[in-house]
Amino acid sequence: MLPDVKHIGHGLPDHDSLVARDARHVLHPWADLSTLGTQESLIIAEAHGIEVADSAGRTYLDAIGGMWCVTVGYGHPELVEAMAAQARKMAYFTPFGDVSSEPAARLAAMLADLTPGDLNRVQFTTGGSTAVESAVRIAHYYFASRGQAAKRHVLSRVNAYHGGTYLTASLSGKSADRTLFQYESDWVHHLESPGYDPDTSPVSAAERLDGLVAGMERAIAEIGAENIACFVAEPILASGGVLVPPPGYHEATLELCRRNDILYVSDEVVTGFGRLGHFFASEVKFGVVPDMIVTAKGLTSGYQPLGAVIVSDRIAESLAANADRDKPVFSNGFTYSGHPVACATAVANIEVMRRDDVCGHVLDVGPHFIRRLRELRSSSIVAAVRGDHLMACVECHVPGEDGPTARNQALARRVDAYCEEAGLLVRPYENLCIMSPPLIVTRGEVDRIVDIMADSLARAEHDLRTGAIQ
């Protein structure tokens, strides 16, 4: 049972001061540096259920779930109490060597139970980025310990997003994110973006699949299978625009990996923990049992920073059997790996999700969300609507213009601004409006989200016709 949300939205007396302090001192992730020091950030002050309130007292429906994170809603008393109780009992102790904690041990067993196949060994990290990086390092160690140190190259994909560390930013394939930072290019390779939209594609799903598989085969042949350690893949490319591959894609790419002794890493940071109606989507929805699964975000419903790599017994046992006898230490991990408060929160999150059948709720309300959103295709400024259950994207365009052109991006920003004005938060990226509401969203709340989006599109369409958007 969630607390009443009616009391939120009263505002803070120092709203203007908070905005000023933020502008002066905070360097935001993915911020526009040209506005540094002058930005007027939206300061979120409270959150309950699926609603948030800013420091000025305005309330909003959160259609982005924070950042793909929130599963059981904001302010859930059982998660809050789990955090507090563990902090009172033991807030932290080192996780290094042969030291653990009760919450970490309990959570690792739970994750082993939830994942498919023989994925039973868990390394805890601080979030999705460090989990993906750890998965790649495990792949490198695995092959080096077998005398195949040359197998260090990594396959990723255009439009993928895997994190913000040096390595995971290099794995990410979104061109807009490639700025003046440095990126690894010698042994990171990006395959073609796998998205397939039956509404807009000039080819069939089968033809698209054949082309993608052939492209991966060519890349493996060019790089040499003897040089490739792993393939890292989101089941659905999330931040890249909610890009859904054609049916059979993951089975086909896994088969290629198996044939060429390449480890398959499924990045379920977004698709895991119920967003597609299952704790993990790799096997039950996409027909694959990877060598490693990466999770974060919904693992704690966003209440605590925590990530994990779940590794197959086959891989883990090989690491142990082939460890360097002079230097057998597994030298990968973090000060906050398996943080007791974070793990206790994740345990409570899983217990709540199981008891309340949150995944079943997503399987019920998710198709309604996608059906309602697809009604928006009637707008002349909607190029596409795509998604799966509670992850979706509305792509905006000036009729006749494709992709993230300057006008298309301006149009999407106008849609986003009208949504915010009407009390709805969506995630703007390039010319996309991305949505991933908390998993407890109701059908009525879905209807409110889509109705506001429809009105915002109509207002932006009017602005475009009258020349207000150049």
Side-chain angles (χ1 to χ4, degrees):
M1 182 70 68
L2 287 168
D4 191 346
V5 302
K6 292 181 180 178
H7 67 282
I8 71 172
H10 297 300
L12 300 177
D14 58 346
H15 165 73
D16 292 338
S17 175
L18 286 171
V19 172
R21 291 175 193 175
D22 179 88
R24 175 64 184 89
H25 298 292
V26 179
L27 181 59
H28 290 271
W30 271 259
D32 181 352
L33 285 175
S34 68
T35 67
L36 185 65
T38 62
Q39 79 271 16
E40 294 188 4
S41 297
L42 181 69
I43 309 291
I44 300 299
E46 291 185 70
H48 295 276
I50 75 160
E51 289 190 344
V52 300
D54 66 20
S55 54
R58 295 184 296 265
T59 60
Y60 309 87
L61 279 170
D62 175 21
I64 55 176
M67 180 63 77
W68 311 97
C69 291
V70 180
T71 57
V72 298
Y74 295 102
H76 198 293
E78 291 174 66
L79 270 65
V80 172
E81 176 53 31
M83 293 164 62
Q86 183 58 47
R88 286 190 293 266
K89 183 177 181 181
M90 181 183 73
Y92 173 76
F93 195 77
T94 175
F96 278 40
D98 297 328
V99 180
S100 189
S101 69
E102 177 190 354
R106 291 183 62 200
L107 177 58
M110 283 178 150
L111 290 173
D113 181 56
L114 292 171
T115 47
D118 69 338
L119 278 80
N120 293 312
R121 180 70 60 171
V122 180
Q123 181 173 35
F124 290 114
T125 70
T126 56
S129 298
T130 48
V132 173
E133 180 146 339
S134 294
V136 173
R137 296 197 73 205
I138 290 168
H140 284 163
Y141 191 105
Y142 169 75
F143 284 113
S145 70
R146 295 172 58 194
Q148 298 172 280
K151 285 179 74 71
R152 64 188 185 90
H153 290 246
V154 181
L155 301 179
S156 183
R157 298 172 302 181
V158 172
N159 288 326
Y161 180 77
H162 295 295
T165 65
Y166 173 73
L167 175 54
T168 57
S170 300
L171 290 173
S172 298
K174 295 162 61 180
S175 60
D177 290 348
R178 293 291 177 115
T179 57
L180 299 180
F181 289 109
Q182 297 296 313
Y183 304 90
E184 178 59 52
S185 58
D186 289 343
W187 47 269
V188 172
H189 310 271
H190 292 91
L191 306 176
E192 182 181 354
S193 180
Y196 174 73
D197 188 340
D199 292 336
T200 60
S201 176
V203 301
S204 69
E207 290 173 301
R208 176 71 172 139
L209 176 60
D210 288 345
L212 291 167
V213 172
M216 186 171 181
E217 287 177 322
R218 286 193 299 271
I220 292 172
E222 290 169 4
I223 301 163
E226 70 279 6
N227 298 316
I228 302 173
C230 59
F231 172 49
V232 183
E234 302 161 271
I236 293 176
L237 281 70
S239 296
V242 191
L243 303 174
V244 183
Y249 172 82
H250 291 290
E251 294 99 320
T253 53
L254 177 64
E255 194 279 327
L256 274 179
C257 287
R258 292 284 183 266
R259 192 193 315 162
N260 291 281
D261 194 22
I262 297 168
L263 298 185
Y264 191 105
V265 179
S266 183
D267 181 350
E268 290 223 45
V269 169
V270 171
T271 59
F273 276 83
R275 191 141 299 278
L276 300 183
H278 309 279
F279 274 100
F280 292 101
S282 291
E283 181 181 39
V284 68
K285 191 167 178 65
F286 298 101
V288 297
V289 177
D291 297 296
M292 290 180 259
I293 286 179
V294 175
T295 186
K297 294 188 185 294
L299 174 58
T300 66
S301 203
Y303 282 55
Q304 286 280 294
L306 181 66
V309 188
I310 306 102
V311 184
S312 73
D313 285 337
R314 177 177 67 89
I315 302 300
E317 289 164 6
S318 177
L319 298 181
N322 297 303
D324 187 328
R325 294 309 162 193
D326 294 324
K327 296 181 180 180
V329 175
F330 181 68
S331 53
N332 183 72
F334 309 91
T335 299
Y336 301 113
S337 291
H339 193 286
V341 176
C343 288
T345 307
V347 168
N349 185 52
I350 293 170
E351 289 173 343
V352 167
M353 288 184 67
R354 281 173 159 166
R355 184 197 66 209
D356 295 348
D357 191 18
V358 171
C359 288
H361 175 72
V362 174
L363 291 173
D364 175 64
V365 76
H368 178 67
F369 183 49
I370 299 300
R371 280 195 301 270
R372 284 297 325 273
L373 284 173
R374 286 179 65 80
E375 296 172 9
L376 303 176
R377 292 179 301 159
S378 60
S379 170
S380 68
I381 65 170
V382 171
V385 174
R386 52 184 177 266
D388 193 322
H389 287 79
L390 292 184
M391 56 187 301
C393 171
V394 175
E395 182 174 350
C396 301
H397 75 153
V398 175
E401 288 190 24
D402 295 324
T405 65
R407 285 211 301 168
N408 284 352
Q409 292 186 62
L411 182 63
R413 286 194 298 271
R414 187 67 60 93
V415 173
D416 172 67
Y418 283 139
C419 285
E420 184 175 319
E421 182 183 302
L424 173 68
L425 297 180
V426 300
R427 184 184 176 202
Y429 176 75
E430 294 185 335
N431 62 318
L432 312 174
C433 296
I434 296 174
M435 286 165 279
S436 53
L439 304 189
I440 61 167
V441 65
T442 66
R443 284 175 176 255
E445 289 162 340
V446 161
D447 291 338
R448 287 174 60 197
I449 290 169
V450 178
D451 290 346
I452 292 173
M453 175 63 73
D455 182 68
S456 299
L457 286 165
R459 294 176 68 186
E461 188 175 10
H462 175 268
D463 290 348
L464 183 64
R465 285 198 309 269
T466 58
I469 298 175
Q470 298 297 322

